[in-house]
Amino acid sequence: MKAQRLQAGDRVPDFDFQTPWAPRQNFYDNIGNDPAVLVFLRYRGCPVCQMEMARLKREIDLFAQRGARVLVFLQSSPESVASSSNMEAWPFMIVCDPNGSIFRKFHVAPGGVLKYLHPAGAIAAIQSIVRGFRHGRFEGQETQLPAAFVVNPMKIITYAHYGKHIGDVRAPATLSKELNSALS
């Protein structure tokens, strides 16, 4: 039986997590009464994920002006991420979930080979390489699909998107629009 995906109106699950630069933290405690945007990607070495993280970094003001916390979830180990960058390089929190337990809690599942090889995903991979992002170390599930959630201050999901292929990542402008709707 397939797990029920989270949707708008569901309470966001609480969980403990770690970042490359901080030990175990609790999600509810960390975000407090702030709205949050949660972006699930694959792993740090994935060129598409690197491209999406760079885009989110460039457009972080879309969320900061609304006081939203932004968390990016990777199936990378904290050591892997810390060895390739430092905390000051990222205006959002990177959550490391190498065993995929948080991905499972949010029902963000890997896709099959056909979803992995989807033409739009291949185009995203080519675009990322053309833009200079290079493949690094493989981690987690190679066929992992992306997802995004917007969470209001009451910890209710107001927007949920589950990607259909590896390049199906919501743009920051789309997430910002959903955040604005959630806070209106």
Side-chain angles (χ1 to χ4, degrees):
M1 185 168 142
K2 190 174 181 178
Q4 182 69 30
R5 289 181 167 181
L6 299 175
Q7 57 189 333
D10 289 343
R11 185 164 179 82
V12 69
D14 195 13
F15 54 90
D16 290 332
F17 66 93
Q18 60 184 338
T19 76
W21 307 282
R24 191 164 223 78
Q25 300 177 52
N26 177 267
F27 175 67
Y28 279 12
D29 291 342
N30 190 279
I31 67 165
N33 293 321
D34 293 334
V37 175
L38 314 178
V39 179
F40 287 77
L41 299 173
R42 295 182 333 146
Y43 54 90
R44 179 72 179 114
C46 165
V48 173
C49 301
Q50 294 169 35
M51 179 176 71
E52 293 301 337
M53 289 173 68
R55 178 167 68 159
L56 189 57
K57 181 178 179 177
R58 280 191 312 274
E59 299 181 33
I60 197 69
D61 287 344
L62 293 171
F63 309 104
Q65 62 193 2
R66 296 303 302 242
R69 304 290 307 274
V70 178
L71 291 84
V72 173
F73 295 77
L74 300 174
Q75 291 185 338
S76 297
S77 71
E79 299 79 20
S80 172
V81 176
S83 71
S84 62
S85 63
N86 60 51
M87 186 170 70
E88 293 76 27
W90 301 106
F92 47 79
M93 185 172 295
I94 297 175
V95 175
C96 295
D97 187 22
N99 66 9
S101 63
I102 302 170
F103 280 74
R104 286 189 297 280
K105 188 174 277 270
F106 280 79
H107 307 287
V108 182
V113 172
L114 292 179
K115 288 184 179 183
Y116 178 71
L117 298 174
H118 190 281
I123 290 169
I126 291 166
Q127 288 173 336
S128 67
I129 292 168
V130 167
R131 291 182 178 147
F133 298 100
R134 299 290 174 246
H135 207 296
R137 181 177 160 208
F138 287 93
E139 297 177 280
Q141 296 278 339
E142 185 61 23
T143 61
Q144 180 63 54
L145 297 174
F149 303 89
V150 174
V151 179
N152 72 17
M154 285 75 65
K155 299 179 180 60
I156 302 298
I157 296 170
T158 59
Y159 174 79
H161 172 76
Y162 288 88
K164 294 176 178 63
H165 53 78
I166 64 170
D168 189 10
V169 179
R170 291 294 123 196
T174 300
L175 295 173
S176 175
K177 179 180 171 191
E178 294 297 335
L179 175 65
N180 289 337
S181 294
L183 298 176
S184 297

